[in-house]
Amino acid sequence: AVKRSNALNGYSQKLVYCEGQAFGSTLSAIAYLVGLAFYGFCLHIAPIRSLMLATGIIPKPGQGPSAEFMDQGFLIVEGTAKGSSGTVVKSTMQF
């Protein structure tokens, strides 16, 4: 969406955009990656996916968290931008 918006609005031809996730240690990053790969593997295998649906590990289509549960959540977004003159601007948003 960012690159498309840039292309449509013509902000910059040198735009570089990437996303990442920060972890407290290399071990926690590896554990997260292994867990995510295992979860994806389980979703790919139909009998396991059916079991996950039946036991409520994953929601059935059309189900999901309640509005009250979502209101208790939060997200922190940290951004860094570097201008063509070398100026660096950092921001943190929490919502």
Side-chain angles (χ1 to χ4, degrees):
V2 173
K3 287 187 176 185
R4 175 136 173 86
S5 295
N6 177 62
L8 291 173
N9 294 306
Y11 296 134
S12 172
Q13 292 185 8
K14 297 180 181 180
L15 176 74
V16 177
Y17 177 78
C18 63
E19 292 186 26
Q21 190 167 354
F23 294 91
S25 69
T26 302
L27 183 60
S28 63
I30 292 170
Y32 178 82
L33 181 61
V34 169
L36 190 60
F38 180 72
Y39 184 71
F41 174 78
C42 289
L43 289 176
H44 185 71
I45 308 299
I48 299 174
R49 183 176 56 244
S50 296
L51 181 64
M52 292 170 74
L53 282 165
T55 58
I57 293 173
I58 56 175
K60 294 177 183 170
Q63 292 181 330
S66 67
E68 294 81 20
F69 181 79
M70 290 189 292
D71 287 341
Q72 295 173 7
F74 66 92
L75 173 67
I76 299 173
V77 178
E78 295 178 349
T80 303
K82 183 176 181 182
S84 57
S85 64
T87 305
V88 176
V89 179
K90 294 185 178 190
S91 67
T92 301
M93 298 174 279
Q94 183 173 343
F95 45 107

